[in-house]
Amino acid sequence: MQTSLKSLLSGLVLLASSPALAGSATTIPAFDAKIATARTATSPGGTTVTRVEMQGAVDLLINDDNQVDAAERAHMGAKLASTTFLTGVNGSAKKYLSDTYELNDTATVAAPLGSYPVAGTPAELYGATGSLAFASVIREGYIPNGQGVANQVTLVETFNANAGGYKAASYFTPITTQELIATLSANYYATHATVDEVEGALAYIYQIYRNSSRLYVAGWSGSYHSGYMQGFVVAAVSSDRRFVRFVEVITYGE
């Protein structure tokens, strides 16, 4: 689990520092090729497209420049509307595609999402103490009625605006409850989170997304004075897409 999280974070850090590639002219054919490979009998999921395989294809649309442009989103929309395409795509894979499509609505202006420290310490909110609680920072807020929804640009800009100016996230991607548990269970400053902390954090985050199934994660990194730190942030979004709870966790610092 630690290796998995390190891979996620290092990948996001690398992408954030990489120059933009050719855009949709390159990413859309790459997406189609990745799906075609996923449908072959020798692929990990056999002829069925699994969530992991769909994630590998969909993420090509955002990884080149940290955003989904209009052409890339239109391509995802066409696939979601195609019964031919969805044949052989399992439910979890379809949800990853659908969730990414919804989150990346190509808006260029963030909605006015509030983000304020919550009452109580992470240990109090998780009901347990340990490395996860120590490394957590929790904020939440809502978008006024009629002033937009929590989409990609809103989540990124809101998190970065409250990140202290020395760290930043590039983009959020959908995450399942099982993936969240694995992420929360990773090492923090070389110590393991306790089971009680993970279960408490999961329950606290679940309060927000249980009715919406809108749960996202982003890696972040940054320099502070002469040091460096990195971590992840989970964004749990309510069913009306107006309320967001951010759980930010520092996993490494020097």
Side-chain angles (χ1 to χ4, degrees):
M1 287 182 288
Q2 182 184 10
T3 300
S4 172
L5 179 60
K6 283 184 175 179
S7 176
L8 166 68
L9 294 173
S10 61
L12 289 177
V13 171
L14 176 62
L15 291 167
S17 61
S18 300
L21 302 182
S24 58
T26 296
T27 59
I28 290 175
F31 169 90
D32 291 339
K34 197 85 166 178
I35 293 297
T37 299
R39 293 187 188 277
T40 62
T42 56
S43 70
T47 57
T48 298
V49 180
T50 66
R51 181 182 178 89
V52 172
E53 291 172 322
M54 180 63 75
Q55 182 175 3
V58 170
D59 288 0
L60 292 173
L61 303 177
I62 192 171
N63 284 352
D64 65 322
D65 55 6
N66 298 332
Q67 63 182 342
V68 172
D69 65 26
E72 291 165 335
R73 188 170 194 269
H75 193 68
M76 284 193 286
K79 298 305 181 184
L80 286 167
S82 170
T83 55
T84 300
F85 176 83
L86 294 177
T87 299
V89 176
N90 74 20
S92 186
K94 178 183 176 182
K95 187 176 189 312
Y96 189 87
L97 177 61
S98 177
D99 287 350
T100 304
Y101 177 81
E102 179 187 79
L103 179 65
N104 295 278
D105 58 8
T106 70
T108 58
V109 178
L113 172 61
S115 180
Y116 306 100
V118 298
T121 66
E124 292 169 341
L125 297 170
Y126 299 165
T129 59
S131 57
L132 173 56
F134 176 77
S136 295
V137 176
I138 305 170
R139 303 176 70 91
E140 62 186 24
Y142 69 93
I143 299 167
N145 192 30
Q147 296 190 38
V149 296
N151 50 24
Q152 182 74 270
V153 66
T154 300
L155 293 181
V156 170
E157 291 195 10
T158 301
F159 173 75
N160 289 347
N162 292 281
Y166 59 91
K167 55 191 173 186
S170 297
Y171 58 84
F172 284 80
T173 56
I175 185 174
T176 66
T177 299
Q178 291 72 29
E179 290 166 341
L180 174 61
I181 293 170
T183 299
L184 294 172
S185 301
N187 277 2
Y188 302 96
Y189 294 102
T191 60
H192 283 289
T194 66
V195 173
D196 287 344
E197 284 182 290
V198 172
E199 291 181 347
L202 176 64
Y204 183 68
I205 296 168
Y206 182 68
Q207 291 173 353
I208 307 305
Y209 80 93
R210 62 187 174 190
N211 294 323
S212 70
S213 295
R214 291 183 173 97
L215 184 67
Y216 312 104
V217 66
W220 60 261
S221 65
S223 299
Y224 184 71
H225 297 307
S226 60
Y228 170 82
M229 59 177 55
Q230 67 181 33
F232 64 88
V233 55
V234 175
V237 179
S238 63
S239 56
D240 63 1
R241 300 179 68 191
R242 291 178 53 221
F243 186 89
V244 180
R245 176 170 290 168
F246 290 104
V247 176
E248 174 194 348
V249 182
I250 301 170
T251 58
Y252 175 79
E254 62 181 22

Coordinates of all heavy atoms in Angstrom, one line a residue, residues 67-135:
Q67 N -5.4 18.6 -17.4 CA -6.8 19.0 -17.6 C -7.4 18.2 -18.7 O -6.8 17.6 -19.6 CB -6.9 20.5 -17.9 CG -6.2 20.9 -19.3 CD -6.3 22.4 -19.5 OE1 -7.1 23.1 -18.9 NE2 -5.4 22.9 -20.4
V68 N -8.8 18.2 -18.7 CA -9.5 17.6 -19.8 C -10.1 18.7 -20.7 O -10.9 19.5 -20.2 CB -10.7 16.7 -19.2 CG1 -11.6 16.2 -20.4 CG2 -10.1 15.5 -18.5
D69 N -9.7 18.7 -21.9 CA -10.2 19.8 -22.8 C -11.6 19.4 -23.4 O -12.1 18.3 -23.2 CB -9.2 20.2 -23.9 CG -8.9 19.1 -24.9 OD1 -9.8 18.2 -25.1 OD2 -7.8 19.1 -25.5
A70 N -12.2 20.3 -24.1 CA -13.5 20.1 -24.7 C -13.6 18.9 -25.6 O -14.6 18.1 -25.5 CB -14.0 21.3 -25.4
A71 N -12.6 18.7 -26.4 CA -12.6 17.5 -27.3 C -12.5 16.2 -26.5 O -13.1 15.2 -26.9 CB -11.5 17.7 -28.3
E72 N -11.6 16.2 -25.5 CA -11.4 15.0 -24.7 C -12.7 14.7 -23.9 O -13.1 13.5 -23.9 CB -10.3 15.2 -23.8 CG -8.9 15.3 -24.5 CD -7.8 15.8 -23.6 OE1 -8.1 16.6 -22.6 OE2 -6.6 15.5 -23.9
R73 N -13.4 15.7 -23.4 CA -14.6 15.5 -22.7 C -15.7 15.0 -23.6 O -16.5 14.1 -23.3 CB -15.1 16.7 -21.9 CG -16.3 16.5 -21.0 CD -16.5 17.6 -20.1 NE -17.4 17.3 -19.1 CZ -18.8 17.3 -19.1 NH1 -19.3 17.8 -20.2 NH2 -19.5 17.0 -18.1
A74 N -15.8 15.6 -24.8 CA -16.8 15.1 -25.8 C -16.6 13.7 -26.2 O -17.5 12.9 -26.3 CB -16.7 16.0 -27.0
H75 N -15.3 13.2 -26.2 CA -15.0 11.8 -26.6 C -15.5 10.9 -25.4 O -16.1 9.9 -25.7 CB -13.5 11.7 -26.8 CG -13.1 10.4 -27.4 ND1 -13.4 10.1 -28.7 CD2 -12.4 9.3 -26.9 CE1 -12.9 8.9 -29.0 NE2 -12.3 8.4 -27.9
M76 N -15.3 11.3 -24.2 CA -15.8 10.5 -23.1 C -17.3 10.5 -23.1 O -17.9 9.4 -22.8 CB -15.3 11.1 -21.7 CG -13.8 10.8 -21.4 SD -13.4 11.2 -19.7 CE -13.4 13.0 -19.7
G77 N -17.9 11.6 -23.4 CA -19.4 11.6 -23.4 C -19.9 10.7 -24.5 O -20.9 10.0 -24.3
A78 N -19.3 10.7 -25.6 CA -19.7 9.8 -26.7 C -19.6 8.3 -26.3 O -20.4 7.5 -26.6 CB -18.9 10.1 -28.0
K79 N -18.5 8.0 -25.6 CA -18.3 6.6 -25.2 C -19.4 6.2 -24.1 O -19.9 5.1 -24.2 CB -16.9 6.4 -24.6 CG -15.8 6.7 -25.6 CD -15.9 5.8 -26.8 CE -14.8 6.1 -27.8 NZ -15.0 5.3 -29.1
L80 N -19.7 7.1 -23.2 CA -20.7 6.8 -22.2 C -22.1 6.7 -22.8 O -23.0 6.0 -22.3 CB -20.8 8.0 -21.2 CG -19.6 8.0 -20.2 CD1 -19.6 9.3 -19.4 CD2 -19.7 6.8 -19.2
A81 N -22.4 7.3 -24.0 CA -23.6 7.2 -24.6 C -23.7 6.0 -25.6 O -24.8 5.8 -26.2 CB -23.9 8.5 -25.4
S82 N -22.6 5.3 -25.8 CA -22.6 4.2 -26.8 C -22.7 2.9 -26.1 O -21.9 2.4 -25.4 CB -21.2 4.3 -27.5 OG -21.0 3.1 -28.3
T83 N -23.8 2.2 -26.4 CA -24.0 0.9 -25.9 C -23.0 -0.1 -26.5 O -22.6 -1.1 -25.8 CB -25.4 0.3 -26.3 OG1 -25.6 0.4 -27.7 CG2 -26.5 1.2 -25.6
T84 N -22.5 0.1 -27.7 CA -21.5 -0.7 -28.3 C -20.2 -0.6 -27.5 O -19.6 -1.6 -27.1 CB -21.2 -0.3 -29.7 OG1 -22.4 -0.4 -30.5 CG2 -20.1 -1.1 -30.3
F85 N -19.8 0.6 -27.1 CA -18.6 0.8 -26.4 C -18.7 0.2 -25.0 O -17.8 -0.4 -24.5 CB -18.3 2.3 -26.2 CG -17.1 2.6 -25.4 CD1 -15.8 2.5 -25.9 CD2 -17.2 2.9 -24.0 CE1 -14.7 2.8 -25.0 CE2 -16.1 3.2 -23.2 CZ -14.9 3.1 -23.7
L86 N -19.9 0.4 -24.3 CA -20.0 -0.1 -22.9 C -20.2 -1.6 -22.8 O -20.1 -2.1 -21.7 CB -21.2 0.7 -22.3 CG -21.1 2.2 -22.1 CD1 -22.3 2.8 -21.6 CD2 -19.9 2.5 -21.2
T87 N -20.5 -2.2 -23.9 CA -20.5 -3.7 -23.9 C -19.1 -4.2 -23.5 O -18.1 -3.9 -24.2 CB -21.0 -4.3 -25.2 OG1 -22.3 -3.8 -25.5 CG2 -21.0 -5.8 -25.2
G88 N -19.1 -5.0 -22.5 CA -17.8 -5.6 -22.0 C -17.0 -4.7 -21.1 O -15.9 -5.0 -20.7
V89 N -17.6 -3.5 -20.7 CA -17.0 -2.7 -19.7 C -17.7 -2.9 -18.4 O -19.0 -2.8 -18.3 CB -17.2 -1.2 -20.1 CG1 -16.7 -0.2 -19.0 CG2 -16.5 -0.9 -21.4
N90 N -17.0 -3.3 -17.3 CA -17.7 -3.6 -16.1 C -18.2 -2.4 -15.4 O -17.8 -1.2 -15.7 CB -16.8 -4.5 -15.2 CG -15.7 -3.8 -14.5 OD1 -15.6 -2.6 -14.4 ND2 -14.7 -4.6 -14.1
G91 N -19.0 -2.6 -14.4 CA -19.7 -1.4 -13.7 C -18.8 -0.5 -13.1 O -18.9 0.8 -13.2
S92 N -17.7 -1.0 -12.4 CA -16.8 -0.1 -11.8 C -16.0 0.7 -12.8 O -15.7 1.9 -12.6 CB -15.8 -0.9 -10.9 OG -14.9 -0.1 -10.2
A93 N -15.6 0.1 -13.9 CA -14.9 0.8 -15.0 C -15.8 1.9 -15.6 O -15.3 3.0 -15.8 CB -14.5 -0.1 -16.1
K94 N -17.1 1.6 -15.8 CA -18.0 2.6 -16.3 C -18.1 3.8 -15.4 O -18.2 4.9 -15.8 CB -19.4 2.0 -16.6 CG -20.4 3.0 -17.1 CD -21.8 2.4 -17.3 CE -22.8 3.4 -17.7 NZ -24.1 2.9 -17.9
K95 N -18.2 3.5 -14.1 CA -18.3 4.6 -13.1 C -17.1 5.5 -13.1 O -17.2 6.7 -12.9 CB -18.5 4.0 -11.7 CG -18.8 5.1 -10.6 CD -19.1 4.5 -9.3 CE -19.7 5.5 -8.3 NZ -18.9 6.8 -8.2
Y96 N -15.9 4.9 -13.3 CA -14.7 5.7 -13.3 C -14.8 6.7 -14.5 O -14.4 7.9 -14.4 CB -13.4 4.9 -13.4 CG -12.2 5.7 -13.2 CD1 -11.7 5.9 -12.0 CD2 -11.5 6.3 -14.3 CE1 -10.5 6.7 -11.8 CE2 -10.4 7.1 -14.2 CZ -9.9 7.3 -12.9 OH -8.8 8.1 -12.7
L97 N -15.2 6.2 -15.6 CA -15.4 7.0 -16.8 C -16.4 8.1 -16.6 O -16.2 9.3 -16.9 CB -15.7 6.2 -18.0 CG -16.0 6.9 -19.3 CD1 -14.8 7.7 -19.8 CD2 -16.4 5.9 -20.4
S98 N -17.5 7.7 -16.0 CA -18.6 8.6 -15.7 C -18.2 9.7 -14.7 O -18.5 10.9 -14.9 CB -19.9 7.9 -15.3 OG -20.9 8.8 -14.9
D99 N -17.6 9.3 -13.6 CA -17.2 10.2 -12.6 C -16.1 11.2 -13.1 O -16.2 12.4 -12.8 CB -16.6 9.4 -11.4 CG -17.6 8.7 -10.6 OD1 -18.8 8.9 -10.8 OD2 -17.2 7.9 -9.7
T100 N -15.2 10.7 -13.9 CA -14.2 11.6 -14.5 C -14.9 12.6 -15.5 O -14.5 13.8 -15.5 CB -13.1 10.8 -15.3 OG1 -12.6 9.9 -14.4 CG2 -12.0 11.8 -15.8
Y101 N -15.8 12.2 -16.2 CA -16.6 13.0 -17.2 C -17.3 14.1 -16.4 O -17.2 15.3 -16.8 CB -17.6 12.2 -18.0 CG -18.4 13.0 -18.9 CD1 -18.0 13.4 -20.1 CD2 -19.8 13.3 -18.5 CE1 -18.8 14.1 -21.0 CE2 -20.6 14.0 -19.4 CZ -20.1 14.4 -20.6 OH -20.9 15.1 -21.5
E102 N -18.0 13.8 -15.3 CA -18.7 14.8 -14.5 C -17.8 15.8 -13.9 O -18.0 17.0 -13.9 CB -19.5 14.1 -13.5 CG -20.3 15.0 -12.6 CD -21.0 14.3 -11.4 OE1 -20.3 14.0 -10.4 OE2 -22.2 14.1 -11.5
L103 N -16.7 15.3 -13.3 CA -15.8 16.1 -12.5 C -15.1 17.2 -13.5 O -15.0 18.3 -13.1 CB -14.7 15.3 -11.8 CG -13.7 16.1 -11.1 CD1 -14.3 16.8 -9.9 CD2 -12.6 15.1 -10.6
N104 N -14.8 16.7 -14.7 CA -14.0 17.6 -15.6 C -15.0 18.2 -16.6 O -15.1 17.7 -17.8 CB -12.9 16.7 -16.3 CG -11.9 16.3 -15.4 OD1 -11.0 17.0 -15.0 ND2 -12.0 15.0 -14.9
D105 N -15.7 19.2 -16.2 CA -16.8 19.7 -17.0 C -16.3 20.9 -17.9 O -17.1 21.6 -18.5 CB -18.0 20.2 -16.2 CG -17.6 21.2 -15.1 OD1 -16.4 21.7 -15.2 OD2 -18.5 21.5 -14.3
T106 N -15.0 21.1 -18.0 CA -14.3 22.1 -18.8 C -14.6 23.5 -18.3 O -14.2 24.5 -19.0 CB -14.6 22.0 -20.3 OG1 -15.9 22.3 -20.6 CG2 -14.3 20.6 -20.8
A107 N -15.1 23.7 -17.1 CA -15.3 25.0 -16.6 C -13.9 25.7 -16.4 O -13.0 25.0 -16.0 CB -16.0 25.0 -15.2
T108 N -13.8 26.9 -16.6 CA -12.5 27.6 -16.4 C -12.5 28.6 -15.2 O -11.4 29.1 -14.9 CB -12.2 28.5 -17.7 OG1 -13.3 29.4 -17.9 CG2 -12.0 27.5 -18.9
V109 N -13.7 28.8 -14.6 CA -13.7 29.7 -13.5 C -14.3 28.8 -12.3 O -15.3 28.2 -12.4 CB -14.7 30.8 -13.7 CG1 -14.8 31.7 -12.5 CG2 -14.2 31.7 -14.9
A110 N -13.6 28.9 -11.2 CA -14.0 28.1 -10.0 C -15.2 28.7 -9.4 O -15.4 29.9 -9.3 CB -12.8 28.1 -9.0
A111 N -16.1 27.8 -8.8 CA -17.2 28.3 -8.0 C -16.7 28.7 -6.7 O -15.7 28.3 -6.2 CB -18.2 27.1 -7.9
P112 N -17.4 29.6 -6.0 CA -17.0 30.2 -4.7 C -17.2 29.2 -3.6 O -18.1 29.3 -2.8 CB -17.9 31.4 -4.5 CG -19.1 31.1 -5.3 CD -18.7 30.3 -6.5
L113 N -16.3 28.2 -3.5 CA -16.4 27.2 -2.5 C -15.6 27.6 -1.2 O -14.4 27.9 -1.3 CB -15.8 25.9 -3.0 CG -15.6 24.7 -2.0 CD1 -16.9 24.3 -1.4 CD2 -14.8 23.6 -2.7
G114 N -16.3 27.7 -0.1 CA -15.7 28.0 1.1 C -14.8 26.8 1.6 O -15.1 25.7 1.3
S115 N -13.8 27.1 2.4 CA -12.9 26.1 2.9 C -12.4 26.6 4.3 O -11.5 27.4 4.3 CB -11.8 25.8 2.0 OG -10.9 24.8 2.5
Y116 N -12.9 26.0 5.3 CA -12.6 26.5 6.7 C -12.2 25.4 7.6 O -12.7 24.2 7.5 CB -13.8 27.2 7.3 CG -14.4 28.3 6.4 CD1 -15.5 28.1 5.6 CD2 -13.8 29.6 6.3 CE1 -16.0 29.1 4.7 CE2 -14.2 30.6 5.5 CZ -15.3 30.3 4.7 OH -15.8 31.3 3.8
P117 N -11.3 25.6 8.5 CA -10.9 24.6 9.5 C -12.2 24.1 10.2 O -13.0 24.9 10.6 CB -9.9 25.3 10.4 CG -9.4 26.4 9.6 CD -10.6 26.9 8.8
V118 N -12.2 22.8 10.5 CA -13.4 22.2 11.2 C -13.1 22.3 12.7 O -12.0 22.5 13.1 CB -13.6 20.7 10.8 CG1 -13.9 20.6 9.3 CG2 -12.3 19.9 11.2
A119 N -14.2 22.2 13.4 CA -14.1 22.2 14.9 C -13.6 20.8 15.4 O -14.1 19.8 14.9 CB -15.4 22.5 15.5
G120 N -12.6 20.8 16.3 CA -12.1 19.5 16.8 C -10.9 19.1 16.0 O -10.6 19.5 14.9
T121 N -10.0 18.4 16.7 CA -8.8 17.9 16.2 C -9.0 16.7 15.3 O -10.1 16.0 15.5 CB -7.8 17.6 17.3 OG1 -8.3 16.5 18.0 CG2 -7.5 18.8 18.2
P122 N -8.2 16.3 14.4 CA -8.3 15.1 13.7 C -8.5 13.8 14.6 O -9.3 12.9 14.3 CB -7.1 15.0 12.8 CG -6.7 16.4 12.6 CD -7.0 17.1 13.8
A123 N -7.7 13.8 15.7 CA -7.8 12.7 16.6 C -9.2 12.6 17.2 O -9.7 11.5 17.4 CB -6.7 12.8 17.7
E124 N -9.7 13.7 17.6 CA -11.1 13.8 18.1 C -12.1 13.3 17.1 O -13.1 12.6 17.4 CB -11.4 15.2 18.6 CG -10.6 15.6 19.9 CD -10.8 17.1 20.2 OE1 -11.2 17.8 19.3 OE2 -10.5 17.5 21.3
L125 N -11.9 13.8 15.8 CA -12.9 13.5 14.8 C -12.8 12.0 14.3 O -13.8 11.4 13.9 CB -12.7 14.4 13.6 CG -13.0 15.9 13.9 CD1 -12.5 16.8 12.8 CD2 -14.4 16.1 14.3
Y126 N -11.6 11.5 14.4 CA -11.4 10.1 14.0 C -11.6 9.1 15.2 O -11.8 7.9 14.9 CB -9.9 9.8 13.5 CG -9.5 10.6 12.3 CD1 -8.1 10.7 12.0 CD2 -10.4 11.2 11.5 CE1 -7.7 11.4 10.9 CE2 -9.9 11.9 10.4 CZ -8.6 12.0 10.1 OH -8.2 12.7 9.0
G127 N -11.6 9.7 16.4 CA -11.8 8.8 17.5 C -10.6 8.0 17.9 O -10.7 7.0 18.6
A128 N -9.4 8.4 17.4 CA -8.2 7.6 17.7 C -7.0 8.5 17.4 O -7.1 9.4 16.6 CB -8.1 6.4 16.8
T129 N -5.9 8.2 18.1 CA -4.7 9.0 17.9 C -3.7 8.1 17.2 O -3.8 6.9 17.2 CB -4.1 9.4 19.3 OG1 -3.9 8.2 20.1 CG2 -5.1 10.3 20.0
G130 N -2.7 8.8 16.6 CA -1.6 8.1 15.9 C -1.1 8.9 14.7 O -1.4 10.1 14.6
S131 N -0.3 8.3 13.9 CA 0.4 9.0 12.8 C -0.6 9.6 11.8 O -0.3 10.7 11.3 CB 1.4 8.1 12.1 OG 0.7 7.0 11.6
L132 N -1.7 9.0 11.5 CA -2.6 9.5 10.5 C -3.3 10.8 11.1 O -3.4 11.8 10.4 CB -3.7 8.5 10.2 CG -4.9 9.0 9.3 CD1 -4.4 9.6 8.0 CD2 -5.8 7.8 9.0
A133 N -3.8 10.7 12.3 CA -4.4 11.9 12.9 C -3.4 13.1 13.0 O -3.7 14.2 12.7 CB -4.9 11.6 14.3
F134 N -2.1 12.7 13.4 CA -1.1 13.8 13.5 C -0.8 14.4 12.2 O -0.5 15.6 12.1 CB 0.2 13.1 14.0 CG 1.4 14.1 14.1 CD1 1.5 15.0 15.2 CD2 2.4 14.0 13.2 CE1 2.6 15.9 15.2 CE2 3.4 14.9 13.2 CZ 3.5 15.8 14.2
A135 N -0.9 13.7 11.1 CA -0.5 14.2 9.8 C -1.7 14.8 9.0 O -1.5 15.3 7.9 CB 0.1 13.1 8.9

